[in-house]
Amino acid sequence: QVQLAESGGGSLQAGGSLTLACVTSGYSFTGGCMAWFRVGPGEEREGVAVSDADGIVRYSDSVKGRFTISRDHTKKTLYLQMNNLKPEDTAKYYCAALKMGMYGGDTWSAADRYDYWGPGTQVTVSS
């Protein structure tokens, strides 16, 4: 059984940094495509970043240059380093994983492509 568990969320002021972690179990981490999504207040789910098994990474325009997605294969953990946080980054952040397949180019941010989801971790950024 595949399980994803996010951690690292919290409340902080604009300009600060946080690192989210997503620990996986039962998942073929080395060969799998994983991503971070977020749902802000009154907003739809948004793809934030993706990390493919081949080392390809992509970011949404809203976080490019501020967020970094990475993996630790030994720990089977996906990370999201978030710098220069803004109030508009306030959201519940989820990690997601594909059962199989590649990240899919421009379709990487389509949430319905992902088979496994964690319960999420809240990030709140105040001005």
Side-chain angles (χ1 to χ4, degrees):
Q1 182 181 359
V2 174
Q3 291 186 323
L4 310 179
E6 304 94 339
S7 63
S11 298
L12 71 167
Q13 291 189 323
S17 299
L18 276 178
T19 299
L20 306 183
C22 174
V23 178
T24 71
S25 62
Y27 182 63
S28 181
F29 185 85
T30 301
C33 175
M34 297 191 67
W36 286 98
F37 286 79
R38 67 185 182 185
V39 182
E43 298 179 0
E44 295 186 352
R45 195 177 300 255
E46 174 192 13
V48 174
V50 64
S51 169
D52 195 42
D54 290 342
I56 295 172
V57 296
R58 293 274 298 271
Y59 299 92
S60 67
D61 289 342
S62 60
V63 307
K64 198 174 296 181
R66 300 187 297 122
F67 290 12
T68 303
I69 190 171
S70 62
R71 299 176 175 232
D72 184 325
H73 289 274
T74 301
K75 297 181 179 179
K76 296 186 178 181
T77 299
L78 182 75
Y79 297 98
L80 185 69
Q81 171 69 42
M82 305 185 295
N83 296 326
N84 190 22
L85 282 160
K86 304 175 181 180
E88 52 263 43
D89 294 317
T90 294
K92 194 165 187 179
Y93 286 72
Y94 300 86
C95 69
L98 291 178
K99 183 182 297 184
M100 63 178 65
M102 308 298 285
Y103 83 108
D106 290 341
T107 66
W108 72 266
S109 58
D112 58 4
R113 292 189 63 232
Y114 292 81
D115 303 288
Y116 308 111
W117 292 83
T121 186
Q122 179 68 35
V123 174
T124 303
V125 184
S126 58
S127 58

